[in-house]
Structures are given as structure tokens and as C-alpha cells.
Amino acid sequence: MRLLVFLAAALFLTVAHAQAQVYAPYDGYDEYDGYSYDDPYSPYPPPPNYEPEPGYPEPFPERREPSTRVGRGTIVIATREHTLIYTTSEGEQFAYPIAVGREGKQWYGTTRVVSKRLHPEWRPTASMRQKNPRLPAVVKPGPANPLGTRAIYLADGLLRIHGTNDPSSIGTNASSGCFRMYREDVEELYDMVQPGTRVIVQR
């Protein structure tokens, strides 16, 4: 009798364990800046003060030592090193790991910050929507937004420094030209930089 009870209990635990599966987050990419959409939006927009915790186990990024000396009040993006370095007006330096543009999508030169946006909307370009008709005209703030919680716009209006909803891409060549950062990093940088900040993008 005890043997039957033991076997029944073991069978029950095996079935329960089989049903409690854990699925890894989707990290697939396609040619549309790494994002595709089926129906990522609910009928209700997020509240104005939307500030959710990330829905993924976001690792705390390691700070890297700056690899270059730059003028105060300047952002330097070292593309090959996947590193963004900000030197404050007081001379303090902050270095962050980033994702950069894929081959053929990278830009180099000197520009400046023109504006910043808290909880930005993402508007896919016309070419992106032509290639992928499922892309909406506008992606509102929320967990599905590939710009994350902060966006810093550069002079041409197309390049941005922004957050991401795919932290696994940090440290890689993954974007269509923009520079992705971990959430806590872009929020820290956002609070420090102001419009007019010089930005140097190096190879």
C-alpha cells in the first residue's frame, strides 16, 4: 500500500513539474531594426506617468573605463568598442555599453543633441513600413516600444540615443543606426545631458 502511495505521489510531482515550464525571452531579429509586431498593443494606452519595471531580468551593466580623452560637456561614441562616454562640464566621465548600427547602417562624424523625450513614441520610417506592412504608424510608450523609456535626439532628427526593450542586443551591431542603452544607463544619461551637447561618433 505504501508503495502505491509513493508511486502516485511521484507521478503527481512529475506531471506538475512538466506543466511548470519556463520560457526564455524572445530574442529573434528581423531586418526591421530587430522588431516585428503582430498585435503588441492593448485597446488602452499606458497612463501618462507610465514607468513599468522591465519585463526581463536586466543585468546591471559593467562600467567600462573610458578609452579616450575628450573635451568637457561632450559625448563620444566609440563604435568599435560599443561604448558611449560622457564627460560632464566638471570633467567627470561616465562610460556605458551600447548597441550600434549594423554593417551599412553606421554613421560617423560630429553632431549635437537637439532635444530629449521622456517615454517617446516610435514612428517606423516609410521604408520600414513598406518592407513590413504589419508595422503600425506609431508605437505608443510601453513595454513593446523599442525606444524604451528615454530618447535623446541628435541634430539630423533621425539618429537617437535611446533605451531598448531588448537588452540582449547591447554590445552588438543590431540597430538601423541609433545607439541603444540599458534602461538605467539611458535614464542616468538623460538627466545629465542637455540640448546643445556635442556628440562625436567614432569608428
Side-chain angles (χ1 to χ4, degrees):
M1 182 67 179
R2 288 182 179 178
L3 180 60
L4 288 176
V5 171
F6 177 76
L7 290 174
L11 179 62
F12 174 78
L13 289 174
T14 301
V15 171
H17 180 71
Q19 292 176 346
Q21 298 180 31
V22 177
Y23 297 94
Y26 175 72
D27 61 356
Y29 283 92
D30 58 25
E31 60 182 310
Y32 312 111
D33 202 19
Y35 303 95
S36 62
Y37 294 88
D38 292 319
D39 185 16
Y41 321 106
S42 71
Y44 306 100
N49 61 345
Y50 175 78
E51 189 78 36
E53 288 300 316
Y56 45 76
E58 187 172 44
F60 187 79
E62 295 181 3
R63 295 289 192 255
R64 302 184 185 184
E65 288 299 319
S67 60
T68 184
R69 286 293 180 188
V70 297
R72 296 186 176 193
T74 303
I75 292 173
V76 171
I77 294 173
T79 304
R80 288 180 183 168
E81 298 178 16
H82 299 93
T83 303
L84 181 149
I85 303 161
Y86 174 57
T87 305
T88 69
S89 57
E90 292 78 27
E92 187 177 5
Q93 287 192 324
F94 296 83
Y96 306 101
I98 59 172
V100 300
R102 298 187 298 273
E103 189 69 30
K105 296 287 187 179
Q106 296 177 355
W107 179 88
Y108 309 101
T110 301
T111 182
R112 61 187 174 86
V113 173
V114 292
S115 64
K116 306 190 300 181
R117 191 158 300 163
L118 183 71
H119 303 299
E121 294 179 341
W122 181 55
R123 298 176 182 272
T125 64
S127 61
M128 287 179 180
R129 297 189 67 205
Q130 185 176 13
K131 291 177 183 176
N132 184 358
R134 294 181 300 156
L135 286 175
V138 180
V139 179
K140 297 292 185 181
N145 190 314
L147 299 185
T149 62
R150 305 288 189 275
I152 300 169
Y153 293 82
L154 307 183
D156 61 6
L158 296 176
L159 288 180
R160 291 168 295 231
I161 300 167
H162 60 79
T164 181
N165 62 356
D166 182 12
S168 67
S169 67
I170 302 299
T172 70
N173 297 12
S175 76
S176 289
C178 292
F179 308 103
R180 302 177 187 170
M181 302 179 69
Y182 287 117
R183 174 177 174 161
E184 62 267 31
D185 287 349
V186 74
E187 291 178 358
E188 181 177 82
L189 184 67
Y190 182 97
D191 289 340
M192 292 189 291
V193 303
Q194 300 301 326
T197 299
R198 188 180 184 214
V199 180
I200 303 170
V201 182
Q202 301 175 337
R203 292 186 183 274

